[in-house]
PDB file of all heavy atoms in Angstrom:
ATOM      1  N   GLY A 221      39.232  51.210  42.155  1.00  0.00           N
ATOM      2  CA  GLY A 221      37.954  50.923  42.736  1.00  0.00           C
ATOM      3  C   GLY A 221      37.056  52.124  42.712  1.00  0.00           C
ATOM      4  O   GLY A 221      37.404  53.198  42.216  1.00  0.00           O
ATOM      5  N   SER A 222      35.842  51.959  43.219  1.00  0.00           N
ATOM      6  CA  SER A 222      34.913  53.051  43.323  1.00  0.00           C
ATOM      7  C   SER A 222      34.148  52.931  44.608  1.00  0.00           C
ATOM      8  O   SER A 222      33.925  51.828  45.117  1.00  0.00           O
ATOM      9  CB  SER A 222      33.933  53.075  42.144  1.00  0.00           C
ATOM     10  OG  SER A 222      33.135  51.914  42.127  1.00  0.00           O
ATOM     11  N   GLY A 223      33.733  54.065  45.161  1.00  0.00           N
ATOM     12  CA  GLY A 223      32.907  54.045  46.365  1.00  0.00           C
ATOM     13  C   GLY A 223      33.635  53.356  47.502  1.00  0.00           C
ATOM     14  O   GLY A 223      34.781  53.651  47.847  1.00  0.00           O
ATOM     15  N   ALA A 224      32.957  52.359  48.107  1.00  0.00           N
ATOM     16  CA  ALA A 224      33.526  51.665  49.264  1.00  0.00           C
ATOM     17  C   ALA A 224      34.815  50.950  48.934  1.00  0.00           C
ATOM     18  O   ALA A 224      35.680  50.780  49.747  1.00  0.00           O
ATOM     19  CB  ALA A 224      32.491  50.660  49.818  1.00  0.00           C
ATOM     20  N   GLU A 225      34.963  50.543  47.656  1.00  0.00           N
ATOM     21  CA  GLU A 225      36.141  49.800  47.258  1.00  0.00           C
ATOM     22  C   GLU A 225      37.403  50.653  47.382  1.00  0.00           C
ATOM     23  O   GLU A 225      38.493  50.125  47.499  1.00  0.00           O
ATOM     24  CB  GLU A 225      36.012  49.330  45.809  1.00  0.00           C
ATOM     25  CG  GLU A 225      34.852  48.386  45.614  1.00  0.00           C
ATOM     26  CD  GLU A 225      34.562  48.174  44.134  1.00  0.00           C
ATOM     27  OE1 GLU A 225      35.488  48.377  43.318  1.00  0.00           O
ATOM     28  OE2 GLU A 225      33.459  47.797  43.808  1.00  0.00           O
ATOM     29  N   GLU A 226      37.300  52.001  47.366  1.00  0.00           N
ATOM     30  CA  GLU A 226      38.454  52.868  47.454  1.00  0.00           C
ATOM     31  C   GLU A 226      38.783  53.212  48.899  1.00  0.00           C
ATOM     32  O   GLU A 226      39.787  53.863  49.152  1.00  0.00           O
ATOM     33  CB  GLU A 226      38.194  54.140  46.642  1.00  0.00           C
ATOM     34  CG  GLU A 226      38.102  53.851  45.134  1.00  0.00           C
ATOM     35  CD  GLU A 226      37.824  55.061  44.305  1.00  0.00           C
ATOM     36  OE1 GLU A 226      37.363  56.076  44.886  1.00  0.00           O
ATOM     37  OE2 GLU A 226      38.086  55.044  43.087  1.00  0.00           O
ATOM     38  N   ASN A 227      37.936  52.816  49.833  1.00  0.00           N
ATOM     39  CA  ASN A 227      38.236  53.032  51.220  1.00  0.00           C
ATOM     40  C   ASN A 227      39.419  52.208  51.641  1.00  0.00           C
ATOM     41  O   ASN A 227      39.419  50.981  51.455  1.00  0.00           O
ATOM     42  CB  ASN A 227      37.000  52.626  52.070  1.00  0.00           C
ATOM     43  CG  ASN A 227      37.186  52.907  53.552  1.00  0.00           C
ATOM     44  OD1 ASN A 227      38.104  52.404  54.169  1.00  0.00           O
ATOM     45  ND2 ASN A 227      36.307  53.734  54.112  1.00  0.00           N
ATOM     46  N   PRO A 228      40.488  52.801  52.234  1.00  0.00           N
ATOM     47  CA  PRO A 228      41.713  52.048  52.542  1.00  0.00           C
ATOM     48  C   PRO A 228      41.448  50.830  53.454  1.00  0.00           C
ATOM     49  O   PRO A 228      42.046  49.775  53.285  1.00  0.00           O
ATOM     50  CB  PRO A 228      42.590  53.089  53.238  1.00  0.00           C
ATOM     51  CG  PRO A 228      42.100  54.402  52.710  1.00  0.00           C
ATOM     52  CD  PRO A 228      40.635  54.225  52.497  1.00  0.00           C
ATOM     53  N   LEU A 229      40.534  50.980  54.425  1.00  0.00           N
ATOM     54  CA  LEU A 229      40.247  49.869  55.338  1.00  0.00           C
ATOM     55  C   LEU A 229      39.570  48.740  54.578  1.00  0.00           C
ATOM     56  O   LEU A 229      39.846  47.581  54.786  1.00  0.00           O
ATOM     57  CB  LEU A 229      39.369  50.336  56.491  1.00  0.00           C
ATOM     58  CG  LEU A 229      40.041  51.361  57.460  1.00  0.00           C
ATOM     59  CD1 LEU A 229      39.024  51.765  58.523  1.00  0.00           C
ATOM     60  CD2 LEU A 229      41.285  50.750  58.092  1.00  0.00           C
ATOM     61  N   PHE A 230      38.655  49.099  53.672  1.00  0.00           N
ATOM     62  CA  PHE A 230      37.954  48.098  52.858  1.00  0.00           C
ATOM     63  C   PHE A 230      38.946  47.386  51.955  1.00  0.00           C
ATOM     64  O   PHE A 230      38.936  46.170  51.816  1.00  0.00           O
ATOM     65  CB  PHE A 230      36.847  48.770  52.052  1.00  0.00           C
ATOM     66  CG  PHE A 230      35.925  47.792  51.366  1.00  0.00           C
ATOM     67  CD1 PHE A 230      34.797  47.332  52.019  1.00  0.00           C
ATOM     68  CD2 PHE A 230      36.194  47.336  50.088  1.00  0.00           C
ATOM     69  CE1 PHE A 230      33.945  46.427  51.394  1.00  0.00           C
ATOM     70  CE2 PHE A 230      35.355  46.440  49.466  1.00  0.00           C
ATOM     71  CZ  PHE A 230      34.211  46.002  50.120  1.00  0.00           C
ATOM     72  N   ALA A 231      39.823  48.164  51.318  1.00  0.00           N
ATOM     73  CA  ALA A 231      40.828  47.577  50.416  1.00  0.00           C
ATOM     74  C   ALA A 231      41.747  46.624  51.147  1.00  0.00           C
ATOM     75  O   ALA A 231      42.121  45.573  50.641  1.00  0.00           O
ATOM     76  CB  ALA A 231      41.633  48.679  49.748  1.00  0.00           C
TER      77      ALA A 231
END
Side-chain angles (χ1 to χ4, degrees):
S222 63
E225 299 168 22
E226 293 179 341
N227 183 301
L229 295 177
F230 190 90

